[in-house]
Amino acid sequence: MKQNFVLQFDRKEIPDWAEKYSTLTDLEKKIEAEIAPGARARGYYTREDFLDLCYWKTPRTKPLVRSNTTETIQELTRLALSKPHERLRIETLTHLRGVGWPTASVLLHFGYDNLYPILDFRALWSLGLEKPPSQYDFDFWMDYTHYCRQLATEVNVSMRTLDRALWEYSKQNQK
């Protein structure tokens, strides 16, 4: 079933909400300045970079993601960052221990320049979903990805800017 996402604020306000983004950490700065460009240049994530990204998204999975070997991390992220098929990209990453759809979306968000949104309950709330699905699947993720790509293009903002705006709007308005 196709999702019907509806931005909960005026699209012209996306840059303003992104400017208000209140949780920029040193780790996020490192991700944007070093980890993301390095992964895009290499074509895979190093173990350290993978662990940093997973921790940034959801610290509670730290023991699970640490159980992935360096070789597994490099091979699966190399596969995900080199294949032209959307389903193969995202589902390959979910084979890493501790990586569900939201964390896989983070790996794609930073592994590709301006192509993927981050799947997050805050972003979904800002797009009209009061409660995220109990389980994600490819069709849901693809609907979300297409919607975000179209919205970012129409407003002429980067996917990173859109992500920050959606997250911040929810943080300030979701009860």
Side-chain angles (χ1 to χ4, degrees), residues 12-73:
K12 292 179 204 149
E13 296 174 5
I14 289 172
D16 297 329
W17 281 109
E19 274 291 310
K20 295 173 187 171
Y21 183 72
S22 60
T23 60
L24 186 61
T25 63
D26 287 341
L27 178 55
E28 188 172 347
K29 290 175 188 173
K30 177 183 174 185
I31 289 167
E32 292 176 357
E34 299 170 28
I35 294 174
R40 288 193 294 263
R42 269 188 316 276
Y44 65 88
Y45 287 106
T46 66
R47 178 180 174 75
E48 180 184 343
D49 293 348
F50 169 77
L51 295 175
D52 282 346
L53 282 163
C54 292
Y55 182 80
W56 176 77
K57 176 60 176 154
T58 178
R60 72 181 179 276
T61 63
K62 189 174 185 176
L64 275 175
V65 297
R66 289 181 82 68
S67 70
N68 291 291
T69 67
T70 298
E71 295 77 21
T72 300
I73 292 165

Side-chain angles (χ1 to χ4, degrees), residues 131-148:
K131 187 176 179 190
S134 58
Q135 290 200 357
Y136 296 110
D137 64 23
F138 179 76
D139 291 333
F140 179 88
W141 176 76
M142 210 59 247
D143 287 347
Y144 173 68
T145 298
H146 284 308
Y147 181 85
C148 289

